Amino acid sequence: MTIEKLTPDKVDSYIELRIKQLLEEGASGDTDLRPALLDYCQRHMADGSFIGFIAVEDGRIIATGGLSIVEKPPWFSCPSGKFGILSSMYTLKEYRRQGIAREILKQIADAARAASCGQLQITASDMGTLLYSDFGFVRSNNFMQYKL
């Protein structure tokens, strides 16, 4: 098994695992996200604001993770104003609890540091909370969102 950066030739497989993850987490799946996900990956991989990672075994993608790099006005705990948002952290069921997601998370953290991000953020599923807590993530109680 190897951890690799996502390349354009593997985006379709990455997208399939992203959709599988969303459905497994309870999304309704009533919209075809493939075109929007393909557009996102192509645009943001090209400009460097998205870096995907994949775990590959015998030519098959078995786990994924993504880093979106965002910039906003600096704040005290993030003087660069740049931070990373994790997404698409997913491992196929038969490969879970083997440390694969942790290895992807390490690669993401290294890429975020290299991009001068001051912090990483994620909206974690119940299953992922233990991984992120063990890695050093701390829950923030003031996150809110408003659906447009």
Side-chain angles (χ1 to χ4, degrees):
M1 191 264 318
T2 60
I3 307 293
E4 306 169 8
K5 277 190 178 178
L6 179 64
T7 55
D9 61 310
K10 295 193 170 109
V11 167
D12 287 338
S13 297
Y14 184 91
I15 288 170
E16 290 307 314
L17 263 65
R18 171 67 174 158
I19 290 169
K20 187 172 181 140
Q21 171 197 9
L22 293 170
L23 293 172
E24 191 174 300
E25 290 175 351
S28 67
D30 56 357
T31 301
D32 182 7
L33 286 179
R34 286 169 189 81
L37 285 167
L38 180 60
D39 176 64
Y40 178 87
C41 288
Q42 289 173 335
R43 285 186 299 111
H44 294 282
M45 285 173 67
D47 72 13
S49 63
F50 176 75
I51 305 168
F53 292 89
I54 54 176
V56 179
E57 184 173 87
D58 297 325
R60 177 181 181 214
I61 297 176
I62 59 170
T64 60
L67 169 66
S68 296
I69 300 169
V70 178
E71 188 171 2
K72 66 180 193 177
W75 64 101
F76 289 112
S77 63
C78 188
S80 72
K82 291 174 77 174
F83 62 101
I85 299 175
L86 277 74
S87 65
S88 305
M89 291 294 294
Y90 181 75
T91 304
L92 293 173
K93 286 182 183 182
E94 62 268 30
Y95 293 95
R96 291 180 186 162
R97 306 283 184 224
Q98 298 178 31
I100 298 168
R102 185 173 191 76
E103 288 304 313
I104 289 175
L105 190 52
K106 285 179 187 177
Q107 294 290 320
I108 288 173
D110 288 344
R113 278 187 207 93
S116 300
C117 291
Q119 62 179 240
L120 290 173
Q121 299 176 0
I122 188 166
T123 303
S125 67
D126 291 340
M127 189 181 339
T129 300
L130 183 59
L131 167 69
Y132 306 119
S133 294
D134 284 350
F135 197 82
F137 281 72
V138 177
R139 185 171 299 282
S140 174
N141 293 325
N142 66 350
F143 178 79
M144 298 176 73
Q145 78 180 25
Y146 178 74
K147 185 172 173 85
L148 299 173

